[in-house]
Amino acid sequence: MQIACKRHTELPHTSKLFGDFLYHYDRVAEFYPHPPFHADSFEASAKSILYPADRRAKLVEVLRAQNGDHDALRELGKADTVAVVTGQQVGLFSGPAYTIYKALTAVRLARRLTEQGLNAVPVFWLATEDHDLAEVSYAWTFNSAQELVALRVNHGGLTDAPVGGISIAAPPLQELHSSLAGLPFGEEVEALVRQAYVPGRAFGPAFSDLLRSLLGEYGMLFFDPMHPAARQLAAPFLAQAVEAAPDLIEQLLQRNSKLAESGYHAQVHIERSTSLFFLIEDGHRLALRRKNGEYTTKDRRLSAEELKARAAQLSPNALLRPVVQDYMFPTVAYIGGPAELAYLAQSQVIYQTLLGRMPVAVPRNGFTLIDTRGKKLMERYALDLDGFFGGEEHLRELIAARLIPPEINDLFTGVAEQTGANLKKLRGAVDRFDPTLAAGLDRGAAKIQYQLSKMQRKVARETMRRSERAKEESRYLYDLLYPHKHLQERFYSILPFLARHGMDLVDRIYDAVHVDCPDHHLLYV
């Protein structure tokens, strides 16, 4: 198994904030209290945790109700044990592949901290409260020919129900079977999915059970914030947040301005009418807005006191949620992706006001998995991941250029070099004769070189047209590495990779996790 690294700043759509967080921490230090790759950060974070024994006992009981008896629970019950937390929306069939990468990064860090004398357990926060059903109701897989397959659940237009409790009447199990049927380990993967996604089961428990089956040996605890006892555990802190909300909003507005002044983006737009809360009522997650000291829904008003009295029914927004999480857990580090770490740059003011501490923000490891055929094709055509970012047509042109017969390619190169040299000589002579003519010659020279390059591309395209195999290989590579102009990890479920490479792929990915490396990994499996 080989690994190659790619800086995130060389990947599409990497924000300036995330790039500086990874490679120039000093520029973002005012937004994050701990450098992500310094060993001292975790010790400092652990020392800042003041976690009452009674809250720890309640948390252990909540987790026991959700996980059963568990070795990690016995560790978490100890006064000096901390948590390494990550999480994800409860997407269909385990969501995008990076869900697994997050979990394995958390496990790796927790084990390393424990080996270094800081007892830590990994925790996966199931984002069952989210109400973006469209976001979690589909998954992408592929078949043995690397053809894309979309799997979807008919969500019936629901828009405001917490997704974790929504039942899946008809999981697309037959479609999954058809896509995995030609892959060596398809039956084994399908069996695990069928055990978790029983028709009529809800998104939350189905997602949780599938991840448990994939990650069971890694000792990870799973936490569902929608569990009644979990809501009671969070209620005192949510009531405190309601009390502090006016001040928190002002601080967030200032933080957003500071981010903009520093050349960064604010992941969440904030206005003075913004609420940090949703109200969960009758199976709905109702948006709340602030107006004249009250909170409004579509059809009524609630005072801050009424909201505090119903704190167990409150659900935090994206900026408050991590702070609630780290009130409930003795969190030493949080593992997140680019968007989640951007949230934390804003949430830091909430942490400072309500909790007085903030965990180390650690980027999850990212992977692009490349199979044997993909590796051979990339070597044959001298391709790097950069070659995929210009789109599928650009990739075909790169491959086509490698297919031009060497003698023709050499002639094009020779003619271009010789023409360039002759034009340079000519320009010097013309410049001495009449400098006013030199600019016109420059334009003409550029056109000549352009026409040569254009003809070379035409020859390449004709070569590609004649090679059916090259066209199929181009499609295979693009659909594997950069499907629909997305990084592989953000597009596909992990399931087809397991079906192609075997269940031990999870272990191989874990072995490749490096919590001290900020780069994206190309993993040849």
Side-chain angles (χ1 to χ4, degrees), residues 77 292 420 479:
N292 299 326
D479 286 350

Side-chain angles (χ1 to χ4, degrees), residues 504-521:
D504 68 337
L505 178 63
V506 174
D507 297 330
R508 286 185 276 166
I509 295 171
Y510 174 76
D511 289 340
V513 170
H514 294 280
V515 293
D516 293 324
C517 178
D519 296 339
H520 183 82
H521 304 306

Side-chain angles (χ1 to χ4, degrees), residues 103-381:
L104 294 178
T105 307
V107 172
R108 171 70 80 179
L109 179 57
R111 288 183 177 180
R112 193 184 75 170
L113 293 177
T114 299
E115 290 167 0
Q116 294 173 346
L118 179 58
N119 202 29
V121 297
V123 177
F124 194 101
W125 180 287
L126 302 161
T128 51
E129 291 179 290
D130 287 4
H131 61 265
D132 191 351
L133 183 56
E135 184 76 13
V136 301
S137 61
Y138 70 93
W140 284 93
T141 182
F142 53 74
N143 59 23
S144 58
Q146 197 59 51
E147 295 169 332
L148 281 62
V149 179
L151 308 174
R152 299 185 183 278
V153 170
N154 182 5
H155 51 71
L158 287 171
T159 58
D160 63 359
V163 296
I166 295 175
S167 297
I168 309 174
L173 296 169
Q174 184 55 46
E175 294 89 337
L176 178 69
H177 168 79
S178 298
S179 70
L180 303 184
L183 296 169
F185 304 94
E187 290 185 4
E188 187 176 353
V189 172
E190 184 187 347
L192 290 179
V193 176
R194 286 187 179 275
Q195 289 174 10
Y197 284 82
V198 177
R201 204 162 190 221
F203 275 95
F207 175 95
S208 174
D209 277 6
L210 181 55
L211 256 61
R212 290 174 201 269
S213 67
L214 297 177
L215 301 168
E217 67 179 82
Y218 288 101
M220 176 161 267
L221 294 167
F222 291 86
F223 181 80
D224 182 354
M226 288 294 290
H227 188 282
R231 305 204 66 75
Q232 290 298 327
L233 184 60
F237 187 76
L238 285 165
Q240 182 186 351
V242 173
E243 183 73 28
D247 180 48
L248 294 177
I249 294 299
E250 292 302 318
Q251 291 186 55
L252 286 169
L253 288 168
Q254 293 173 22
R255 172 52 52 91
N256 283 11
S257 296
K258 182 62 177 177
L259 285 166
E261 290 168 7
S262 302
Y264 302 124
H265 74 291
Q267 189 73 14
V268 178
H269 177 69
I270 295 292
E271 300 173 348
R272 283 192 168 79
S273 60
T274 295
S275 164
L276 300 173
F277 314 96
F278 296 85
L279 180 66
I280 295 180
E281 185 177 73
D282 298 328
H284 300 278
R285 190 176 187 234
L286 306 175
L288 294 169
R289 301 284 289 175
R290 294 173 62 247
K291 185 176 182 181
N292 299 326
E294 295 183 315
Y295 291 82
T296 64
T297 66
K298 289 181 179 179
D299 55 6
R300 60 193 155 124
R301 296 176 179 272
L302 294 150
S303 68
E305 289 303 314
E306 289 175 300
L307 217 57
K308 287 165 61 178
R310 301 179 65 176
Q313 294 175 267
L314 294 181
S315 175
N317 79 340
L319 297 182
L320 181 59
R321 190 211 63 77
V323 194
V324 174
Q325 163 194 287
D326 299 330
Y327 162 82
M328 300 172 77
F329 283 86
T331 309
V332 70
Y334 178 72
I335 310 296
E340 292 153 323
L341 297 187
Y343 291 143
L344 294 184
Q346 297 171 271
S347 297
Q348 189 263 342
V349 298
I350 308 179
Y351 274 101
Q352 183 178 324
T353 299
L354 296 184
L355 207 55
R357 63 177 171 90
M358 184 174 172
V360 185
V362 178
R364 65 166 175 81
N365 268 210
F367 294 94
T368 293
L369 307 181
I370 305 175
D371 60 18
T372 301
R373 185 188 182 198
K375 181 175 185 290
K376 289 179 178 178
L377 292 176
M378 291 182 74
E379 290 173 347
R380 177 187 300 165
Y381 298 120

Side-chain angles (χ1 to χ4, degrees), residues 61-82:
E61 288 308 306
V62 173
L63 287 166
R64 181 170 286 111
Q66 299 184 30
N67 294 268
D69 195 25
H70 200 292
D71 290 342
L73 280 179
R74 285 185 282 278
E75 294 302 317
L76 189 58
K78 298 176 182 178
D80 61 344
T81 299
V82 294

